[in-house]
Amino acid sequence: MPIPTDLPPDSSTVHSYVHIAHDFLGLDILSPFLPTPARMSSTTSKALDAAKSTTQTAKSSLRTMSEETSTTTSSILHHPYTRLALPFINGGLAGMTATTVIQPIDMIKVRLQLAGEGVKTGPKPTPISVTRDIIRQGKIGDLYTGLSAGLLRQAVYTTARLGFFDTFMTLLKTNAESRGNKVGFQERALAGLSAGGLAAMVGNPADLALIRMQSDGLKPAAERAHYRSVVDALTRISKAEGITALWAGAYPTVVRAMALNFGQLAFFSETKDQLKARTQWSQQTQTLSASAVAGFFASFFSLPFDFVKTRLQKQSRGKDGQLPYKGMADCFRKVARDEGLLRFYRGFGTYYVRIAPHAMVTLIVADWLGFITK
């Protein structure tokens, strides 16, 4: 049988020749060309082995990359400069988180302290009546008036106070351990007082801008400044009253901060250590309980100074060019004489509701950030 030569040498032609050879010549030349079950099994096995090898290689590469990333992250976190900065960064983030949550309560607290200024008798506002008035005059969003100033204050003040406190406590612990002792309450108190005082000086301009923005709505409509933001408030105050005006009320602010930090940080640290030694509570429960105790003592010790600070930072010159108060001592004297001693603790419940949750959120977030960045 003649073999055609004019057909293209494709696979069908080749298979035709193979079948002809097998049928007429008895030649078993199919096996090299036709897949048998054994050959198919071998091919599949090889393909699976190759796929497994590729998968293992990919997993190994990913594991190596993950380990390298983890090593790099760990190296960055444990760099000396990073360890020095982390307490300040964690403190600032914790404070800003807490302020965002607590801002409406802080707004109500300020309005309560400024209501009935200079008058011993008269209507006594309540948190509910103040909230109702704020909403009636504008909208519910007005409760967040001054949030930008509050966030700036936390970015400066809480960053500094928690950062300084953590730094001081680390130094005190190292010094105490070298002598075989433990840090006592006196050392914690000293660290809290020092951290609060230093941070308050740095954060006073933002604190003053916050008070001005929150109290602006109490003025007659024609006298309101209508600050657009904390930057606008700081700029306009410094231009109109001088750069030193940004530190108005700095003395009571520092004293208030020292009292607050003594109550908050010292009692938080001490209570947490006592709970750790005397209870089997979880770390989260210890932190929550210690922060609640710290919030109460922070409120009790700092409210009179916070009251005076608010009055001094809110005041502006009258038509005669004189300020209502000459300083912290003068403010204490006039308020005690004209409004009574209990006026210093007006709004304690609101203040505690503002301070305690703020302290709890701040300390819990700072604790958590400190844990994940060990």
Side-chain angles (χ1 to χ4, degrees):
M1 175 179 173
I3 299 176
T5 58
D6 58 340
L7 295 175
D10 57 13
S11 60
S12 61
T13 303
V14 174
H15 278 79
S16 297
Y17 291 160
V18 170
H19 280 290
I20 291 169
H22 182 272
D23 293 339
F24 292 94
L25 302 176
L27 298 175
D28 189 15
I29 58 174
L30 282 172
S31 56
F33 298 94
L34 298 178
T36 63
R39 187 170 289 106
M40 289 178 65
S41 176
S42 176
T43 304
T44 303
S45 178
K46 289 179 179 178
L48 288 173
D49 289 343
K52 287 180 180 178
S53 177
T54 303
T55 303
Q56 290 174 354
T57 303
K59 286 182 178 179
S60 178
S61 299
L62 289 173
R63 192 180 300 111
T64 302
M65 291 174 63
S66 176
E67 289 173 354
E68 289 177 352
T69 303
S70 177
T71 301
T72 303
T73 303
S74 178
S75 177
I76 293 173
L77 284 176
H78 289 86
H79 191 279
Y81 292 138
T82 305
R83 302 313 301 176
L84 188 65
L86 271 177
F88 295 87
I89 297 171
N90 292 345
L93 291 174
M96 293 172 76
T97 302
T99 289
T100 303
V101 175
I102 305 301
Q103 181 67 17
I105 300 175
D106 188 61
M107 175 69 167
I108 296 167
K109 183 267 298 182
V110 169
R111 291 292 180 90
L112 278 172
Q113 290 178 334
L114 296 177
E117 185 174 1
V119 180
K120 191 169 186 176
T121 60
K124 295 182 179 180
T126 65
I128 295 175
S129 66
V130 170
T131 305
R132 191 186 302 120
D133 288 342
I134 292 173
I135 296 174
R136 185 186 297 125
Q137 291 173 9
K139 51 187 178 180
I140 195 167
D142 288 349
L143 291 170
Y144 272 92
T145 297
L147 178 61
S148 60
L151 292 176
L152 176 62
R153 179 178 180 274
Q154 294 302 317
V156 177
Y157 171 67
T158 304
T159 295
R161 76 185 181 96
L162 292 186
F164 281 133
F165 181 76
D166 192 76
T167 302
F168 293 157
M169 285 300 297
T170 300
L171 293 173
L172 288 170
K173 285 179 180 178
T174 302
N175 186 42
E177 288 172 359
S178 67
R179 292 180 287 125
N181 298 326
K182 291 184 178 181
V183 176
F185 183 75
Q186 290 183 341
E187 288 85 357
R188 298 179 202 278
L190 179 62
L193 289 168
S194 302
L198 290 171
M201 282 300 296
V202 177
N204 198 80
D207 196 37
L208 181 134
L210 174 63
I211 297 297
R212 293 287 183 92
M213 293 174 75
Q214 290 180 328
S215 64
D216 197 46
L218 293 175
K219 297 179 180 178
E223 298 178 14
R224 294 177 186 174
H226 299 291
Y227 299 114
R228 295 188 300 273
S229 67
V230 61
V231 176
D232 180 51
L234 291 172
T235 302
R236 290 166 61 182
I237 292 169
S238 60
K239 284 183 178 179
E241 305 173 38
I243 194 72
T244 56
L246 297 177
W247 273 269
Y251 184 45
T253 299
V254 169
V255 176
R256 179 252 188 195
M258 294 174 72
L260 187 144
N261 280 274
F262 168 70
Q264 186 181 104
L265 300 180
F267 277 89
F268 173 77
S269 183
E270 181 68 21
T271 303
K272 193 174 179 183
D273 272 9
Q274 292 294 334
L275 290 175
K276 187 176 181 180
R278 300 171 183 270
T279 70
Q280 299 297 320
W281 294 354
S282 66
Q283 184 176 353
Q284 291 82 0
T285 304
Q286 290 175 11
T287 301
L288 189 65
S289 302
S291 60
V293 172
F296 174 81
F297 283 104
S299 302
F300 179 79
F301 287 121
S302 67
L303 182 54
F305 300 105
D306 183 80
F307 182 95
V308 172
K309 173 190 75 71
T310 300
R311 288 285 180 92
L312 290 176
Q313 291 182 330
K314 175 261 178 183
Q315 69 176 343
S316 56
R317 297 185 184 278
K319 295 180 180 179
D320 58 356
Q322 298 296 315
L323 291 171
Y325 309 109
K326 297 177 182 178
M328 184 174 74
D330 186 51
C331 184
F332 267 112
R333 182 178 60 81
K334 287 182 177 178
V335 170
R337 182 193 65 196
D338 300 335
E339 304 174 42
L341 288 173
L342 291 180
R343 183 59 62 90
F344 292 111
Y345 277 95
R346 169 184 274 184
F348 178 81
T350 304
Y351 188 65
Y352 176 73
V353 170
R354 184 256 186 233
I355 289 292
H358 194 283
M360 291 167 74
V361 174
T362 300
L363 296 171
I364 289 169
V365 173
D367 232 31
W368 179 73
L369 289 173
F371 174 76
I372 65 174
T373 55
K374 279 185 177 179

